[in-house]
Amino acid sequence: MASFNISRLNTKAGIVKLSGDLELKGAIKISQLSIMGTDGWQALDISHQHSQNLIKQIKDELITHLSNQLN
């Protein structure tokens, strides 16, 4: 398992910052998630359905970003 911390990631759903773990099987477990709002970073409750939907929307972009960082 490898931990990651992304301080700023531009996605189709907005600008996010997140941290979590990348498991050996390729599963991603996000522990913290924030989105850039008009007043700065807004922390999101990752257990909330809206946050889960956001994670699904940005999953491919997150995987691409993490893959580029590992290579």
Side-chain angles (χ1 to χ4, degrees):
M1 184 177 341
S3 296
F4 64 87
N5 185 25
I6 302 171
S7 59
R8 184 181 188 100
L9 180 62
N10 293 323
T11 71
K12 60 186 174 193
I15 302 170
V16 297
K17 70 176 178 177
L18 56 149
S19 61
D21 297 307
L22 180 61
E23 297 178 356
L24 295 175
K25 297 179 181 178
I28 299 171
K29 183 177 179 183
I30 296 174
S31 57
Q32 292 183 331
L33 174 64
S34 297
I35 192 163
M36 179 63 78
T38 56
D39 294 329
W41 291 110
Q42 296 178 358
L44 301 176
D45 178 357
I46 57 173
S47 65
H48 192 273
Q49 186 62 45
H50 175 73
S51 299
Q52 291 298 313
N53 291 340
L54 176 61
I55 291 168
K56 288 177 187 175
Q57 288 177 1
I58 67 170
K59 185 176 180 180
D60 290 340
E61 293 167 286
L62 177 57
I63 290 170
T64 299
H65 179 82
L66 291 173
S67 296
N68 290 338
Q69 295 300 312
L70 296 175
N71 292 329

